Amino acid sequence: DGGITQSPKYLFRKEGQNVTLSCEQNLNHDAMYWYRQDPGQGLRLIYYSQIVNDFQKGDIAEGYSVSREKKESFPLTVTSAQKNPTAFYLCASSPPGQINEKLFFGSGTQLSVL
Amino acid sequence: RKEVEQDPGPFNVPEGATVAFNCTYSNSASQSFFWYRQDCRKEPKLLMSVYSSGNEDGRFTAQLNRASQYISLLIRDSKLSDSATYLCVVNRGSTLGRLYFGRGTQLTVWP
């Protein structure tokens, strides 16, 4: 079945540590996105990529980094510069020609700080 | 001012009730509008797109008022399974397109 796979489901970060969240899709979608969701809040865009080897900052990119070396993969690194990383992270993709029109989401990663 | 404003609720209604959610957006250039449903700690899923003429999908009706920059979702004959958070989502409509999410309205349907 086609879809988006995020891993791990739960992740714990120690102070000063970088952690990487995985996002893989087999939907052949060009565009991929990372969102952050805090309790009781809407999703906020961290980074997005419309094509391999290209990505753009979203509204809250500070303290995060991404890469897009393959169409299927869009990993997100939460760096030590992100001082408040505890949140629910959602990866998404959208079909060709429909950038941002309809998003397909992964099941999310809950990141917590130890 | 936030791009998308929603009343967070919570709305607590009995089965069979009719409930309506409202949402306003700040950018008049916005072109596409959606309602997503999100269950607790799950990913959002598209419930329905919202068209200018209004549209219906079973028990769900969505309306758009561009002049007032206002979107609504009406749920008729509420079911227990409708309990979730409903997210209002707006596409600003620039070339690159960006989706902006409201904070969501929480609905609990009780038996």
Side-chain angles (χ1 to χ4, degrees):
Chain A
D1 286 338
I4 300 180
T5 302
Q6 284 188 244
S7 63
K9 191 171 179 65
Y10 300 96
L11 185 59
F12 298 91
R13 194 192 89 165
K14 295 180 181 178
E15 290 283 342
Q17 186 181 39
N18 291 357
V19 293
T20 297
L21 284 60
S22 170
C23 178
E24 303 278 333
Q25 55 101 355
N26 59 3
L27 298 167
N28 199 34
H29 288 172
D30 289 313
M32 297 186 74
Y33 314 84
W34 274 105
Y35 287 89
R36 168 180 172 142
Q37 187 176 32
D38 293 279
Q41 301 298 318
L43 279 66
R44 291 183 291 168
L45 183 64
I46 304 173
Y47 268 100
Y48 64 102
S49 168
Q50 297 185 17
I51 198 169
V52 174
N53 292 323
D54 185 59
F55 49 82
Q56 307 294 329
K57 292 183 179 180
D59 299 316
I60 55 165
E62 186 174 349
Y64 300 96
S65 66
V66 293
S67 62
R68 188 84 187 277
E69 297 176 3
K70 298 187 299 182
K71 188 175 185 178
E72 301 79 18
S73 179
F74 192 40
L76 173 74
T77 296
V78 184
T79 74
S80 57
Q82 173 50 246
K83 298 305 180 187
N84 185 23
T86 297
F88 189 51
Y89 290 85
L90 287 156
C91 180
S93 69
S94 58
Q98 297 182 40
I99 292 174
N100 260 319
E101 283 297 312
K102 179 181 177 181
L103 294 181
F104 293 75
F105 283 93
S107 57
T109 294
Q110 175 64 49
L111 175 63
S112 303
V113 176
L114 290 176
Chain B
R1 185 182 172 189
K2 288 186 178 179
E3 290 277 344
V4 182
E5 298 268 13
Q6 278 186 264
D7 179 350
F11 285 66
N12 297 302
V13 302
E15 268 189 296
T18 296
V19 61
F21 306 138
N22 303 320
C23 166
T24 58
Y25 59 95
S26 60
N27 193 310
S28 59
S30 299
Q31 295 186 357
S32 305
F33 310 90
F34 312 90
W35 284 100
Y36 276 72
R37 171 195 167 124
Q38 185 177 26
D39 293 292
C40 188
R41 281 298 175 231
K42 302 279 189 181
E43 71 274 22
K45 294 183 179 177
L46 180 65
L47 179 66
M48 59 195 303
S49 301
V50 186
Y51 302 118
S52 296
S53 55
N55 49 298
E56 189 173 303
D57 182 3
R59 298 181 293 108
F60 299 85
T61 301
Q63 297 277 355
L64 168 64
N65 184 322
R66 286 189 183 272
S68 302
Q69 296 179 204
Y70 170 95
I71 305 159
S72 66
L73 176 68
L74 182 77
I75 305 176
R76 292 183 301 278
D77 189 23
S78 298
K79 311 290 184 191
L80 296 178
S81 58
D82 293 333
S83 298
T85 297
Y86 291 83
L87 305 173
C88 177
V89 184
V90 172
N91 181 340
R92 187 184 280 178
S94 65
T95 302
L96 294 178
R98 291 275 297 270
L99 285 182
Y100 291 87
F101 287 76
R103 61 187 295 186
T105 298
Q106 185 180 343
L107 171 66
T108 300
V109 181
W110 45 274

